[in-house]
Amino acid sequence: GGGFRGRGGGFRGRGGGRAPKLPVEDVAFLSTVVYTDGEGRLAVRLHNTDVVTIHKTNGEMVLTSGGFKTPQTRVVITEVLQALGLQLTVSQDNAGAERWCVTNGRNFMMPFNDGMKIRAQHSGQALTRASIVEQTLLQMQTSVNVRTKDHPTAIRIREQIAGKTAGDGDASALAEAEGTYEEGGGQ
């Protein structure tokens, strides 16, 4: 017969239970798109927010959480910064609020603020910076895609991303895809 549906979503198929929840890192990289925007910047988009942009001519990098200082945002920004020899550190202030800082681990530390800019040390770094970030994220995404190939949540996220990037202009399909995925607390 059919599957048993009880509290918690139930079981599907023969002997199969609910798929284990994807780690936040996997959800973050599955939900990330890397593209070049109309102004010649490499953009790293998580859900609907360009959390990192890197200008390919002057190397200026702009970081933002878009107001979503979540684990997924932290994972993606951390990966970008690590590829460039920087770190995102997270600490708590006296009131218990999370504080993010960008550092090189030596002589540079800046509090993270939405829209913060980090300039390349010299213009020769500009295209290299964008290329390193693009390659790093594409490798992460490939690894996650292989590891989560058959996971139902991963399949759904990939379908949503494909729908958003297809550019078919179907606003209702896009709105539906944007509202569908909420596992792990949104962004």
Side-chain angles (χ1 to χ4, degrees), residues 143-167:
S143 170
V144 169
N145 278 324
V146 168
R147 191 171 57 251
T148 64
K149 182 173 66 86
D150 297 321
H151 194 286
T153 302
I155 292 167
R156 189 170 68 245
I157 294 170
R158 282 192 284 273
E159 288 170 353
Q160 290 170 5
I161 294 295
K164 285 183 185 184
T165 58

Side-chain angles (χ1 to χ4, degrees), residues 22-27 29-30 139-151 154 158:
L22 284 175
V24 68
E25 294 83 4
D26 289 354
V27 175
F29 291 117
L30 286 166
Q139 287 171 358
M140 285 300 288
Q141 288 176 314
T142 299
S143 170
V144 169
N145 278 324
V146 168
R147 191 171 57 251
T148 64
K149 182 173 66 86
D150 297 321
H151 194 286
R158 282 192 284 273

Side-chain angles (χ1 to χ4, degrees), residues 34 42 129-141:
V34 180
L42 179 77
R129 209 178 218 199
S131 179
I132 288 169
V133 167
E134 188 171 28
Q135 288 306 311
T136 298
L137 290 176
L138 291 175
Q139 287 171 358
M140 285 300 288
Q141 288 176 314

Side-chain angles (χ1 to χ4, degrees), residues 16 19 26 31 45 47 52 55 117 132 143 174:
D26 289 354
S31 303
R45 175 166 287 178
H47 300 290
V52 178
H55 204 286
K117 296 176 181 175
I132 288 169
S143 170
L174 179 61

